[in-house]
Amino acid sequence: MSAPRTLALAAIGGVLLALSLPPWPGSTGTWVVGVAGAAALFAAVDGRRVRTRLGAGMVAGLGLYVPGLWWMRDFSLPGFVAAVVLEAAILAGAMAVMPGPRAIRAGPGLRLAAFPAALVLAEAVRGAWPFGGLPLAGIELGQVAGPLGPAARLGGRLLVVGLVSGAGAAVVTAARRRRRGLVPAVVGVAVVVVTAVGGAVAPAGRFNGELTVAAVQGGGLRGLRAVESDPTPVFDAHLQASAMVGAGADVVLWPEDVVDVAGTFAGSSEEQVLSALAAGLNATLIVGIVEDVGDDRFRNASVVFAPDGRIVDRYDKVHRVPFGEYIPARSFFDRLADLSAVPRDAIAGQGPGVVDTPSGRFGVLISYEVFFADRSRAAVRAGGRLLLVPTNASSYRDAQVPAQQLAVARLRALETARWVLQAAPTGYSAIIDHQGRVVARSDLGLPAVLRGDVQLRTGRTVFVSLGPAPLLVVAAALLLAAQFPHPNRRRPGEGLRRARWPGRGRPLRGRAPGPGPSP
């Protein structure tokens, strides 16, 4: 295949992967589009030279991340360009370390396995580096509603990435109609199917009670940054919406960052109002607050009010948003860009995200934290029986980030076998069951209260117990093994180099072509 055709095929693969992500087109059938995108990318890079693989990976990355991270352009066009190039470069690096022409003797089986292994490792890098990672636009988000999603119980989001890319590589290997490739393709499909079924029937914890919960969404304009909005109308809107909660709720969740106070929250007028609200509802009330710490720092926290109005616990956000809640190396980046939209840095909290309430111990993932499986694993391992996701996606004009956040909340539910209650000031608020199904969801921009019964659950899934480490070890081993030829496989003509002519040493072990002497 010529270089232009290879790059075109890689670009198609990247675009198809992007089209499998929320919110395009938003149906449960998009998982097939993701498999098709993985297949196109594998066909473009398999057996190619390293420069070709590197270029194809970069082009595919641009096809995936330009639309997948399109929301970033509203905040910083240079930042959007830099993020897309960096994320695409990570994918290109993964394709570059796949086996090339010299390692083609490794056979179709190892070459097939090397592709999902490379993508798993690339996604692991993206989820951790730089600045703590940027896992938005991950290809696993397009699989949450499909048959591969339940495998997250076994290996988390990285296993889902491995399955979708493995399925695509198996399809291509089988389509080439080569006898040597048919068996590995069948084995690859079997591994994907068995793993997906295994995830669906894997242990999912135990029922441990039921609560009536409510997620409050005040509604309002979208596309406004924190420095451009007045916190008072936001607070008032959520007070008004809370009147729709009604009697009998056990837990009421407010979104992230809807109570913004100058100074400390304790003793503020907002605390007094919320204390009265909790007592009036006779419910545990969990509220997202922001409080000042000096002139240039702040805390982002969820505060728990008991039904009698007392503050009984609090969780401060640990995983902050780089360039959103704090500026890494602020003095350096201040020379390159206008940082006025982020004038203060958030102070990071510590420990697992759990709060003890009169209704039980809950895990808390504040906004961006829901994209990181280590936060939900830590919360469940610390005893969280329900996951709460107070978030604030009102800064985004379109549905892209809210839709991706809803998808990743479903993924966290699958990984941990916990119900999820999500509240956002302008949506999406949602109730999600432990199988990742959306029980209720709000509309964007409108005031709403989602109310329903949720299960409290105990026990650990395989992923919560083991984490991603076993999968990363297997992926690294497969990728390394694919770099070397199989010990029983020879290059063409290798037997001739081992031959000896009569009278020049040992007897001839092979037959040379042509009219030369025979043994």
Side-chain angles (χ1 to χ4, degrees), residues 15-117:
V15 171
L16 288 176
L17 288 171
L19 290 175
S20 74
L21 303 179
W24 305 296
S27 69
T28 57
T30 53
W31 70 272
V32 180
V33 179
V35 173
L41 179 55
F42 177 71
V45 300
D46 183 38
R48 310 294 178 191
R49 296 183 181 277
V50 64
R51 276 193 308 183
T52 303
R53 298 197 308 276
L54 191 65
M58 194 71 190
V59 169
L62 295 175
L64 169 58
Y65 296 121
V66 167
L69 298 175
W70 187 245
W71 56 270
M72 291 184 69
R73 77 201 187 280
D74 287 337
F75 297 88
S76 170
L77 184 58
F80 166 66
V81 173
V84 166
V85 171
L86 179 59
E87 301 297 292
I90 293 173
L91 179 58
M95 297 300 97
V97 298
M98 283 193 48
R102 291 187 177 182
I104 205 165
R105 291 178 299 153
L110 277 176
R111 285 160 41 211
L112 188 158
F115 180 64

Side-chain angles (χ1 to χ4, degrees), residues 222-505:
R222 297 178 50 76
L224 295 178
R225 303 185 189 185
V227 295
E228 301 171 336
S229 58
D230 183 353
T232 301
V234 176
F235 180 62
D236 292 341
H238 285 80
L239 283 176
Q240 294 172 12
S242 295
M244 296 186 286
V245 171
D250 299 299
V251 176
V252 177
L253 179 66
W254 274 31
E256 173 199 30
D257 188 19
V258 291
V259 182
D260 193 340
V261 298
T264 59
F265 178 69
S268 65
S269 60
E270 289 85 352
E271 182 208 0
Q272 297 175 13
V273 171
L274 292 168
S275 175
L277 176 62
L281 294 172
N282 191 30
T284 297
L285 175 65
I286 304 170
V287 178
I289 71 159
V290 169
E291 60 181 5
D292 295 340
V293 180
D295 295 330
D296 57 355
R297 295 191 300 170
F298 68 95
R299 298 185 189 275
N300 185 351
S302 288
V303 176
V304 181
F305 290 85
D308 61 5
R310 294 179 300 113
I311 293 179
V312 295
D313 207 350
R314 167 180 174 142
Y315 165 68
D316 286 54
K317 186 175 184 178
V318 172
H319 199 127
R320 303 164 296 167
V321 182
F323 302 100
E325 291 179 309
Y326 79 105
I327 304 295
R330 180 180 284 272
S331 60
F332 170 76
F333 284 105
D334 194 31
R335 303 170 186 172
L336 305 177
D338 179 11
L339 304 180
S340 59
V342 190
R344 304 179 299 166
D345 290 337
I347 299 173
Q350 296 180 344
V354 290
V355 291
D356 289 308
T357 80
S359 300
R361 172 169 279 197
F362 305 144
V364 183
L365 312 172
I366 299 180
S367 192
Y368 191 53
E369 292 183 319
V370 75
F371 283 94
F372 297 88
D374 64 315
R375 298 308 303 163
S376 57
R377 283 187 66 230
V380 170
R381 291 168 69 93
R385 297 188 290 164
L386 169 71
L387 294 181
L388 306 177
V389 183
T391 186
N392 190 341
S394 58
S395 298
Y396 308 103
R397 288 187 303 173
D398 54 37
Q400 186 174 27
V401 171
Q404 289 194 19
Q405 191 169 57
L406 180 62
V408 82
R410 298 176 66 182
L411 190 63
R412 297 291 91 89
L414 283 166
E415 289 173 346
T416 61
R418 295 295 189 271
W419 283 58
V420 175
L421 177 64
Q422 177 169 299
T426 59
Y428 294 114
S429 301
I431 300 174
I432 302 166
D433 72 9
H434 67 287
Q435 297 181 3
R437 297 174 300 198
V438 178
V439 176
R441 194 203 74 179
S442 68
D443 294 322
L444 292 178
L446 301 178
V449 169
L450 298 184
R451 178 168 169 153
D453 295 330
V454 302
Q455 293 182 9
L456 301 180
R457 300 184 69 84
T458 58
R460 298 180 181 180
T461 62
V462 174
F463 176 69
V464 169
S465 296
L466 301 180
L471 180 61
L472 293 175
V473 170
V474 171
L478 287 173
L479 193 58
L480 184 63
Q483 307 301 319
F484 303 99
H486 191 281
N488 295 325
R489 202 176 296 280
R490 299 177 180 175
R491 293 179 181 174
E494 187 173 6
L496 295 179
R497 287 191 294 273
R498 298 179 60 185
R500 295 292 185 271
W501 295 109
R504 295 188 181 182

